Amino acid sequence: MANAAQVQRMSRLMIKTLRDDPADAETASHKLLVRAGYVRRSSAGIWTWLPLGMKVLENVSRVVREEMDAIGGQEVLLPALLPKEPYETSGRWEEYGDLLFRLKDRKGADYLLGPTHEEIFTLTVKDQCTSYKDLPVILYQIQIKYRDEARPRSGVLRGREFHMKDSYSFDTTDEGLAQSYALHREAYQKIFERLGLDYRIVSAVSGAMGGSASEEFLAPAAAGEDTFVDCPACDYAANTEAVTVKVEPADGSAHAPVEELDTPDTPTIESLAEFLGVPASATLKNLLVKVDGEIVAVGVPGDREVDLGKLGEHLAPATVELVTAEDFTDRPELVRGYVGPQGLAGKAFRYIADPRVAPGTAWVTGANKEGKHARNVVVGRDFEVDDYLDVVVVEPGDPCPKCGTGLKIDRAIEIGHIFQLGRKYADAFELDVLGQNGKPTRVTMGSYGIGVSRAVAALAEQTHDEKGLCWPREVAPADVHVVAAGKAQQTELALAIGDRLGDAGLRVLVDDRAGVSPGVKFTDAELLGVPTIVVAGRRAGEGVVEVKDRRTGEREELTVEEAVARLSA
Ligand code: ATP
Ligand code: MG
């Protein structure tokens, strides 16, 4: 008897494949998952998972569950519909702004649909754990999350409703937290390897979450919205926002003294470089910003751009704004277009510089006089830098901070993110347990996410070809797709071999649809992307089938016996 659950007949499967790409689809995963009948758009950024899509989603979830269980994670399920108060306590009711789906109940009380659950997990542990003996603990859930994304595009890659595995670790010591983090890091490596994803681990900057150590798992793909730098020579990889630059001090003693130059009509770097006949990289650009209202100058080589996002990350929680014309009115020392740090750094403004503006290097920069610039302005001799921060936009070819080789910049999809949160939420909710010394001990936390539905799309992005999807076996909706070319005898053979494979423990999809042309069935089989395709066709009468590898296209004619033996091995 065939294992009915393992053999799915397409004649009884709810599936409608499409010949054409959906009009609004830009990415391969969006097009193919819709065309192959895995998902269907319900409304903007909100998706219905159809039977085959559900199988892939479940397979990803199963791998995630197994590896989370293996590190001692305990599965729970928290509500998605949450009261406002805990998010007010943490400050995120405000911070999340428009990203949060907010609603009211019939009594007028405020609720939200959970975008991530640090607050509620903290409260759960506060309720359940009282002593150091109850810790460490790792809790996880696989749950639907809600974020009112500004641009829900790319199908399930970026949904407004999406599936996430989120886990949280609770420890009493920093070493404990480091251990829980390391366990997650290893579990994530196993998960993404098992799923068959090509991925990189990059150091990240932690945004709204707060906290210190943080790494992202990125799946390189052209459709990705993240950029990251990748060293072609060593293992260095980082989020473009987290790239560090080495400070290489130079010997500043040989430089001539500062010389003032008449440079009429040269308010821009380009006009100045042209006028003096020097490269833009020899000039020092001083961008004035206001940090919590105070003027700060940011010095970078003239050929580089300041990344205001990065600057903001470094200076958070302070707010960073650009200066306006009014900021110059009562400050004659600040000459618009001709600002230089000499004489002013540390006095008129705090001076932040990119590490390329290293001690001992000499620059052409503003002379703090209308129409004048100065040359041989040396760092450490003519002015001091208050803080070195990595604030310039990274460019391809920038040196790798580890080995010096020119970096590449690639696009990727963020599939996972791990954070050492520390005590931010434990402080907000006063999460203490009784310590070994009998005194209350503040708990320290980590939070760890995997985009489960996004991983399905990321896999589609990385593995598809021009014919369609091409799943790795672990996540594929079936192991074998048996196509009955059309005649009664062929269908009989297809069903028989399907049953045999099912008995052997394989998950089988049999295309036994009547009235569908063989050509359409073959095209659908390629589109659906099951790893092995078996065709009961021309030589069905002799008990011979064709076995084809979906990925490589290699095909072979085998007897039913041979095929069953080969595929169940
Ligand atoms: P992104 O930068 O892509 O918006 P994020 O950094 O805000 O993501 P996290 O808060 O770190 O996301 O969430 C954990 C994981 O959930 C992410 O690594 C990602 O894989 C997934 N994820 C986040 N937002 C979405 C979304 N809108 N649709 C699908 N998956 C998502
Ligand atoms: Mg993230």
Side-chain angles (χ1 to χ4, degrees):
M1 256 307 276
N3 177 349
Q6 301 272 53
V7 180
Q8 170 73 59
R9 291 186 180 201
M10 266 179 87
S11 59
R12 296 178 197 159
L13 178 69
M14 186 181 76
I15 182 165
K16 186 174 77 181
T17 57
L18 307 175
R19 288 293 148 250
D20 298 315
D21 291 331
D24 58 336
E26 284 166 17
T27 60
S29 59
H30 185 177
K31 292 174 189 168
L32 292 172
L33 289 170
V34 171
R35 278 183 43 207
Y38 283 69
V39 299
R40 193 93 186 129
R41 182 179 176 277
S42 174
S43 62
I46 302 181
W47 293 87
T48 297
W49 290 80
L50 294 168
L52 289 185
M54 197 56 206
K55 287 207 159 77
V56 178
L57 190 65
E58 272 305 310
N59 287 337
V60 173
S61 302
R62 173 179 44 80
V63 169
V64 170
R65 257 191 199 103
E66 285 171 8
E67 298 302 337
M68 287 307 299
D69 290 345
I71 61 165
Q74 302 177 63
E75 187 169 5
V76 296
L77 184 58
L78 270 51
L81 181 58
L82 304 167
K84 167 179 76 167
E85 288 70 27
Y87 285 78
E88 276 201 315
T89 305
S90 70
R92 293 209 289 188
W93 179 258
E94 291 291 322
E95 268 169 41
Y96 263 119
D98 287 341
L99 206 67
L100 215 53
F101 276 104
R102 301 159 203 263
L103 61 163
K104 286 191 193 293
D105 72 2
R106 63 170 73 205
K107 295 190 185 123
D110 287 307
Y111 282 79
L112 64 132
L113 294 173
T116 169
H117 279 66
E118 280 73 8
E119 288 80 352
I120 315 301
F121 273 87
T122 307
L123 288 172
T124 303
V125 168
K126 190 176 161 85
D127 174 55
Q128 297 286 319
C129 302
T130 48
S131 153
Y132 70 93
K133 292 180 198 149
D134 299 332
L135 300 184
V137 81
I138 293 174
L139 301 174
Y140 77 95
Q141 62 177 349
I142 295 179
Q143 196 218 29
I144 295 182
K145 297 277 190 268
Y146 295 87
R147 294 183 187 179
D148 197 357
E149 301 276 1
R151 279 175 300 280
R153 296 170 294 180
S154 317
V156 297
L157 265 183
R158 180 174 298 282
R160 295 200 297 164
E161 175 181 283
F162 60 98
H163 296 244
M164 194 203 286
K165 183 285 298 178
D166 48 327
S167 51
Y168 306 84
S169 64
F170 299 84
D171 283 273
T172 48
T173 62
D174 295 348
E175 300 73 59
L177 169 58
Q179 170 76 12
S180 297
Y181 183 88
L183 283 174
H184 274 88
R185 198 175 191 275
E186 281 163 33
Y188 275 38
Q189 287 174 285
K190 291 198 180 129
I191 290 167
F192 296 129
E193 262 150 44
R194 282 183 62 185
L195 294 181
L197 273 165
D198 171 25
Y199 71 96
R200 305 292 306 256
I201 305 177
V202 304
S203 51
V205 275
S206 37
M209 297 276 192
S212 49
S214 154
E215 285 166 300
E216 287 172 351
F217 290 72
L218 300 182
E225 291 180 32
D226 282 46
T227 50
F228 76 109
V229 299
D230 204 6
C231 178
C234 76
D235 64 353
Y236 179 80
N239 190 302
T240 41
E241 277 147 41
V243 175
T244 52
V245 182
K246 267 195 253 167
V247 185
E248 304 271 15
D251 177 9
S253 60
H255 296 295
V258 175
E259 183 190 347
E260 223 173 77
L261 306 165
D262 267 323
T263 53
D265 303 324
T266 57
T268 65
I269 294 291
E270 293 71 36
S271 55
L272 173 68
E274 203 187 313
F275 182 84
L276 294 178
V278 296
S281 60
T283 68
L284 176 62
K285 176 157 82 179
N286 303 287
L287 178 77
L288 297 183
V289 294
K290 278 186 292 181
V291 178
D292 277 349
E294 293 290 320
I295 298 240
V296 170
V298 184
V300 303
D303 61 336
R304 307 302 299 234
E305 291 306 320
V306 175
D307 184 331
L308 288 172
K310 262 180 164 181
L311 183 64
E313 288 276 356
H314 280 298
L315 301 177
T319 59
V320 178
E321 304 158 276
L322 288 172
V323 292
T324 58
E326 285 136 52
D327 295 305
F328 290 86
T329 32
D330 300 327
R331 296 177 198 258
E333 74 278 18
L334 299 183
V335 184
R336 208 162 191 199
Y338 297 91
V339 173
Q342 63 285 15
L344 297 184
K347 300 187 187 88
F349 44 67
R350 178 172 151 208
Y351 197 71
I352 292 175
D354 177 72
R356 291 172 185 82
V357 188
T361 53
W363 301 87
V364 173
T365 192
N368 299 312
K369 291 178 190 154
E370 188 70 35
K372 287 185 193 295
H373 280 87
R375 79 161 117 221
N376 304 322
V377 179
V378 176
V379 186
R381 183 187 75 181
D382 304 315
F383 71 96
E384 298 290 340
V385 171
D386 293 307
D387 292 297
Y388 278 108
L389 296 178
D390 292 294
V391 290
V392 304
V393 176
V394 186
E395 284 168 19
D398 277 354
C400 168
K402 239 173 144 174
C403 75
T405 308
L407 294 168
K408 285 192 305 167
I409 300 187
D410 287 325
R411 300 193 76 79
I413 299 162
E414 182 189 321
I415 45 172
H417 201 161
I418 54 178
F419 280 102
Q420 290 193 29
L421 282 173
R423 297 185 171 78
K424 178 176 163 169
Y425 291 91
D427 283 343
F429 294 94
E430 299 182 337
L431 172 60
D432 294 328
V433 292
L434 203 60
Q436 222 157 347
N437 57 6
K439 293 191 186 129
T441 307
R442 185 86 357 137
V443 169
T444 181
M445 289 170 58
S447 97
Y448 317 88
I450 288 182
V452 171
S453 46
R454 179 177 284 186
V456 173
L459 273 164
E461 287 294 337
Q462 286 189 343
T463 60
H464 78 277
D465 60 19
E466 69 287 347
K467 292 179 189 145
L469 297 163
C470 205
W471 301 109
R473 192 168 298 273
E474 181 101 53
V475 299
D479 296 303
V480 185
H481 184 142
V482 185
V483 178
K487 298 204 181 80
Q489 190 181 40
Q490 294 164 335
T491 306
E492 234 167 77
L493 184 69
L495 289 170
I497 196 169
D499 284 349
R500 296 275 303 273
L501 293 169
D503 287 342
L506 293 169
R507 302 162 303 143
V508 192
L509 187 63
V510 182
D511 192 348
D512 60 337
R513 289 176 296 176
V516 177
S517 79
V520 168
K521 287 184 176 178
F522 296 144
T523 312
D524 276 352
E526 308 276 15
L527 178 61
L528 259 46
V530 171
T532 305
I533 299 170
V534 172
V535 181
R538 210 166 34 84
R539 297 181 63 192
E542 307 157 53
V544 172
V545 293
E546 185 184 86
V547 177
K548 183 175 164 190
D549 185 295
R550 169 65 184 87
R551 177 172 305 282
T552 63
E554 271 167 49
R555 54 180 84 204
E556 232 183 322
E557 292 201 321
L558 299 174
T559 64
V560 169
E561 294 308 321
E562 287 167 341
V564 171
R566 174 83 55 87
L567 296 176
S568 50

